[in-house]
Amino acid sequence: DVKVTQSSRYLVKRTGEKVFLECVQDMDHENMFWYRQDPGLGLRLIYFSYDVKMKEKGDIPEGYSVSREKKERFSLILESASTNQTSMYLCASSRRSGGETQYFGPGTRLLVL
Amino acid sequence: EDQVTQSPEALRLQEGESSSLNCSYTVSGLRGLFWYRQDPGKGPEFLFTLYSAGEEKEKERLKATLTKKESFLHITAPKPEDSATYLCAVHYNNNDMRFGAGTRLTVKP
């Protein structure tokens, strides 16, 4: 079974803090994704990566950055957290570009005060 | 504009009352349509992939179908444990993927 794990289930941070969300997958997938999920808006893609050290912007990259130093690990960074970044963050991985099924982690619920 | 729309937003059923969820899309170059189930506070769990119009997939009480404009997720004789949010996602062009907002299903015993 594919397993995608995320470093935290719940996080509470203050405005202006730097926040790191980590995601690890154990299936040797090439592709990894970060989404945020807000009520009524569905999943929106923040960033994705097709390979180590490679990253592409998604639909809503502003205020975020990512890092992929190893194939199994994909980190999402909020450089200076703001209250409008309060959300559920979901990491996913897949075997190849887009068309393959994406497997999701359990999510991190982030609250920025 | 490329869009994926799910309806209804919420659906309440009695146990055993069959119904369907809809996912309509306005994208060009469809390459695949995915259905996921998401329980509260958890990540989406993969259910089905459909690749071409006319295709159908089944799993227990769920059956997914695909036409050129939409997909249906039919739920036959649902049980309370089928309560969840059901998401559809469309893969199109080369690497574009777009998710719908989901249908929140509640099945009352």
Side-chain angles (χ1 to χ4, degrees), chain A residues 61-104:
Chain A
E62 297 79 19
Y64 303 93
S65 62
V66 290
S67 172
R68 193 164 181 204
E69 296 297 317
K70 293 185 178 182
K71 189 175 185 179
E72 68 271 18
R73 190 178 297 269
F74 192 34
S75 301
L76 179 69
I77 303 149
L78 286 65
E79 296 289 342
S80 177
S82 63
T83 55
N84 63 12
Q85 291 179 311
T86 291
S87 187
M88 169 75 121
Y89 289 88
L90 290 161
C91 174
S93 71
S94 71
R95 239 185 332 124
R96 66 175 185 267
S97 303
E100 282 293 330
T101 302
Q102 294 185 18
Y103 294 91
F104 286 85

Side-chain angles (χ1 to χ4, degrees), chain A residues 44-64:
Chain A
R44 292 181 291 165
L45 182 64
I46 305 171
Y47 268 97
F48 58 99
S49 168
Y50 291 145
D51 203 350
V52 176
K53 296 192 186 294
M54 198 232 124
K55 59 186 178 184
E56 295 281 347
K57 293 180 180 179
D59 297 322
I60 50 165
E62 297 79 19
Y64 303 93

